[in-house]
């Protein structure tokens, strides 16, 4: 049970609730009224699946979104408003608003040095030696809605920016900064650790909604996007709208008096559900070797796998497509049927017959019959190859993982946040008393279905099938929990893609437009 007093006691010393700026000086109180005249006129040529678009837009840079910032360098946002596209006037006042964060690794994210829209685009790169699938073909995947176009990864392996593409589609784009886990003040206090990043993003949403009618766009149709840790924060933002558990944090930094609920979420390869992530990782990738060829301790891996079985059972989730109850025993079959084989089928169906034959010759474990790909779980695991992370993947025994730093406190850089790692290192399983509340505040799974949280209506969730940064079950559980709570979920996996892949960004932007139409 989380209460206001626990939150206050747990975080006063970090600067999150102190009302003090970096270095100890009390932060200046700032106006939260958006200045419609303080912009620069810019022009950008943006590549889309349907050709280049020349976009003229108004760029509002580094706007503080709270009245009492702890660190204004991070608690500011940029806004880009299209004025014309290919010379034709654009009015984005009734369009959805893309709320695009660039957080990675739960690190700090600042917009202060950006020179225009899309300062930190997501990657859309194919694996080494692999050709991207052809353009203009619909992506299939479990929970996918009908889409009007295809793979939006720019040919030649160039970077992809959701912000650019949304602007080229005539939408207002908001790019918020946020504090992150590595920030320290002059006294050595960590002031960007959990839950600072999600508090900041909520405050930025509040700023946008508070300025309804001043910021162009429909503030009731805000669509968040992010990848990796940014994908986790995007999902958390969508799951926890207006939760009272964040109220004291938001009050302390002078957030605007408005809702922080959003309409829709785009989440790519989210690094989330951290308290169960080590268990899930070993269930998924426990037998995969490390990149240097050695295996992790299989005894410890088995212990974590056992914990995943108990956790998965406790969720009482049913798979999409009428699959039935999801357990650790049938989860591999579920992923094969609902995500992996459809992803491979889509990929291979878009190859020429010659390229497909060559691909199958290199991967004889994949069977191709009647236009469909099939393979077993063990063959898939071998196909992926080396795992990216050691054991434990997230709550490292030596406190070296970024997530250990995320749960730092005061002058302590990193802490254990699972009983498994705490017990392995100290012999006692008791983690610090404030950790459980912080874990809840950072986990979208905690908020889905809660009556005191407004969860976004529509969700777009993606991950690559060769992404070993976390377990594939993290994405699949998120999608299943949302659908169980009557949310509309469009979830799929990119075959042979790694971490951070965003291969259908144009389709996402079209989905934003269609999903937001009333």
């Amino acid at each position: 049970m989380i209460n206001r007093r626990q939150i206050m006691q747990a975080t006063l010393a970090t600067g999150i609730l102190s009302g003090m700026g970096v270095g100890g000086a009390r932060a200046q109180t700032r106006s939260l009224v958006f200045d419609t005249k303080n912009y620069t006129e810019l022009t950008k040529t943006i590549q889309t699946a349907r050709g280049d678009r020349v976009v003229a837009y108004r760029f509002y840079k580094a706007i503080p979104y709270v009245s009492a910032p702890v660190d204004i360098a991070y608690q500011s946002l940029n806004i880009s408003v299209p004025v014309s596209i290919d010379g034709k006037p654009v009015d984005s006042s009734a369009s959805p608003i893309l709320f695009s964060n660039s957080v990675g690794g739960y690190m700090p994210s600042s917009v202060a040095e950006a020179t225009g829209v899309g300062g930190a685009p997501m990657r859309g790169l194919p694996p080494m030696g692999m050709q991207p699938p052809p353009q203009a073909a619909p992506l299939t995947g479990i929970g996918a809605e009908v889409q009007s176009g295809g793979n939006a990864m720019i040919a030649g392996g160039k970077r992809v920016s959701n912000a650019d593409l949304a602007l080229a589609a005539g939408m207002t784009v908001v790019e918020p900064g946020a504090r992150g886990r590595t920030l320290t003040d002059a006294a050595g206090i960590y002031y960007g650790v959990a839950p600072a990043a999600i508090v900041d993003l909520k405050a930025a949403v509040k700023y946008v909604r508070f300025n309804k009618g001043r910021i162009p766009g429909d503030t009731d149709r805000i669509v968040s996007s992010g990848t990796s840790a940014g994908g986790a924060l995007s999902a958390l933002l969508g799951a926890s709208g207006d939760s009272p558990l964040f109220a004291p944090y938001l009050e302390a930094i002078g957030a605007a008096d408005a809702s922080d609920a959003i309409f829709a979420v785009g989440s790519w390869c989210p690094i989330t559900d951290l308290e169960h992530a080590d268990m899930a990782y070993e269930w998924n990738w426990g037998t995969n070797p490390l990149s240097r060829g050695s295996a992790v301790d299989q005894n410890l891996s088995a212990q974590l796998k056992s914990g995943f079985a108990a956790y998965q059972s406790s969720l009482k989730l049913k798979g999409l497509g009428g699959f039935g109850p999801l357990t650790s025993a049938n989860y591999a079959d579920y992923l094969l049927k609902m995500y992996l084989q459809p992803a491979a089928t889509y990929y291979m169906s878009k190859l020429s017959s010659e390229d497909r034959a060559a691909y199958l010759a290199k991967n004889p474990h994949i069977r191709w019959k009647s236009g469909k790909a099939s393979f077993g779980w063990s063959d898939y695991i071998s196909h992926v190859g080396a795992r990216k992370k050691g054991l434990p993947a997230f709550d490292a025994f030596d406190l070296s993982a970024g997530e250990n730093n995320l749960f730092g406190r005061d002058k302590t850089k990193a802490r254990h946040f699972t009983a498994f790692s705490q017990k392995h290192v100290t012999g006692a399983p008791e983690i610090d008393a404030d950790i459980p509340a912080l874990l809840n505040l950072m986990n979208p799974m905690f908020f889905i279905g809660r009556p005191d949280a407004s969860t976004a209506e529509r969700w777009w969730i993606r991950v690559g099938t060769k992404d070993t940064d976390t377990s594939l079950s993290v994405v699949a559980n998120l999608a299943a929990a949302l659908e169980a709570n009557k949310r509309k979920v469009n979830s799929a996996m990119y075959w042979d893609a790694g971490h951070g892949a965003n291969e259908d960004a144009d389709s996402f932007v079209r989905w934003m437009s269609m999903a937001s139409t009333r």
Side-chain angles (χ1 to χ4, degrees):
M1 183 68 179
I2 306 174
N3 60 46
R4 186 184 180 94
R5 183 178 180 183
Q6 286 176 317
I7 292 174
M8 297 288 286
Q9 291 176 337
T11 57
L12 269 170
T14 68
I16 296 174
L17 291 180
S18 66
M20 308 294 281
V22 175
R26 182 164 295 278
Q28 178 183 354
T29 299
R30 299 173 180 271
S31 172
L32 295 180
V33 177
F34 176 65
D35 183 355
T36 60
K37 298 180 180 180
N38 187 21
Y39 61 84
T40 302
E41 293 185 353
L42 299 175
T43 301
K44 185 172 187 178
T45 300
I46 298 173
Q47 288 183 305
T48 77
R50 299 180 182 181
D52 288 355
R53 296 289 182 264
V54 179
V55 183
Y57 66 101
R58 294 176 176 176
F59 183 60
Y60 300 83
K61 182 175 179 178
I63 307 164
Y65 54 71
V66 291
S67 63
V70 175
D71 191 337
I72 198 171
Y74 300 97
Q75 293 171 302
S76 297
L77 54 77
N78 292 344
I79 299 176
S80 299
V81 180
V83 176
S84 68
I85 299 175
D86 294 337
K88 297 179 180 179
V90 171
D91 179 5
S92 65
S93 60
S95 73
I97 297 173
L98 179 65
F99 186 85
S100 179
N101 84 69
S102 58
V103 175
Y106 290 102
M107 298 283 283
S109 173
S110 175
V111 300
E113 300 303 318
T115 58
V117 70
M122 294 168 58
R123 293 187 180 275
L125 304 178
M128 293 297 293
M130 188 69 64
Q131 294 298 313
Q135 303 288 319
L139 179 68
T140 58
I142 298 309
E145 299 172 4
V146 176
Q147 301 173 30
S148 60
N151 188 297
M153 180 169 58
I154 303 302
K158 295 182 181 179
R159 291 164 65 93
V160 178
S161 168
N162 288 337
D164 279 357
L165 293 174
L167 191 73
M171 301 178 193
T172 293
V173 176
V174 176
E175 297 176 278
R179 289 168 292 166
R181 59 182 174 82
T182 58
L183 294 174
T184 56
D185 64 14
I189 301 294
Y190 284 86
Y191 65 90
V193 293
I198 185 60
V199 171
D200 285 354
L201 294 184
K202 283 177 170 288
V205 171
K206 284 177 174 286
Y207 176 87
V208 173
R209 300 196 70 160
F210 176 77
N211 283 286
K212 179 178 182 179
R214 291 183 285 264
I215 296 175
D218 188 343
T219 57
D220 290 328
R221 294 191 291 164
I222 295 173
V223 183
S224 175
S225 78
T227 185
S228 192
L233 290 167
S234 184
L236 181 56
L237 188 64
S240 64
D242 293 333
S243 169
L245 298 179
F246 293 96
Y249 298 101
L250 292 163
E251 179 183 348
I253 59 176
D257 184 12
S259 171
D260 61 58
I262 61 175
F263 176 72
V265 170
S267 179
W268 286 260
C269 51
I271 304 297
T272 192
D273 198 3
L274 296 176
E275 59 265 50
H276 308 107
D278 288 330
M279 305 173 188
Y281 197 91
E282 293 311 312
W283 171 84
N284 199 152
W285 310 117
T287 59
N288 291 62
L290 293 165
S291 57
R292 58 183 177 271
S294 60
V296 300
D297 186 316
Q298 290 299 294
N299 178 49
L300 293 176
S301 180
Q303 293 177 40
L304 284 167
K305 288 179 188 177
S306 177
F308 174 75
Y311 169 61
Q312 190 62 45
S313 178
S314 73
L315 292 176
K316 296 181 171 56
L317 291 176
K318 292 184 177 180
L320 306 182
F323 185 85
L326 286 175
T327 68
S328 62
N330 66 17
Y331 217 120
D333 289 339
Y334 174 65
L335 290 176
L336 287 168
K337 178 180 178 181
M338 298 298 175
Y339 289 103
L340 297 170
Q341 291 178 352
T345 296
Y346 165 72
Y347 180 86
M348 294 175 63
S349 69
K350 305 310 169 188
L351 298 176
S352 68
S353 58
E354 293 82 5
D355 288 344
R356 187 184 311 119
Y359 183 80
L360 289 169
K362 292 180 180 179
N363 300 278
H365 55 280
I366 300 177
R367 298 172 293 280
W368 181 258
K369 183 177 181 181
S370 301
K372 292 185 178 181
S374 63
F375 42 86
W377 180 253
S378 60
D379 287 332
Y380 163 69
I381 292 297
S382 296
H383 178 80
V384 171
R387 58 189 277 168
K388 183 175 181 178
K389 298 183 177 180
L391 186 155
F394 297 92
D395 189 358
F397 292 149
D398 63 358
L399 296 174
S400 62
E403 290 76 15
N404 293 121
N405 182 201
L406 178 64
F407 294 102
R409 179 182 175 187
D410 302 338
K411 294 185 178 181
T412 300
K413 178 180 179 180
R415 294 188 293 169
H416 288 300
F417 55 90
T418 66
F420 180 87
S421 290
Q422 182 76 12
K423 184 177 181 179
H424 181 85
V425 173
T426 69
E430 291 78 16
I431 55 179
D432 289 349
D434 64 313
I435 290 286
L438 292 174
L439 287 167
N440 288 339
L441 291 176
M442 297 302 294
N443 191 351
M445 296 291 286
F446 173 77
F447 292 98
I448 297 170
R450 286 179 65 95
D452 59 350
S454 178
T455 298
E457 295 179 23
R458 295 175 183 264
W459 293 70
W460 177 280
I461 306 172
R462 295 291 188 269
V463 69
T465 64
K466 282 193 172 182
D467 185 346
T468 64
D469 277 56
T470 192
S471 172
L472 299 183
S473 65
V474 170
V475 159
N477 276 346
L478 179 62
L482 289 163
E483 184 166 276
N485 282 274
K486 311 301 182 185
R487 272 35 182 198
K488 295 182 179 180
V489 181
N490 182 322
S491 60
M493 297 184 182
Y494 305 126
W495 183 250
D496 272 356
H499 191 63
N502 180 19
E503 296 181 358
D504 53 349
D506 275 288
S507 292
F508 168 67
V509 173
R510 288 191 292 275
W511 172 85
M512 283 177 58
S513 298
M514 293 186 293
S516 298
T517 301
R518 294 181 175 178

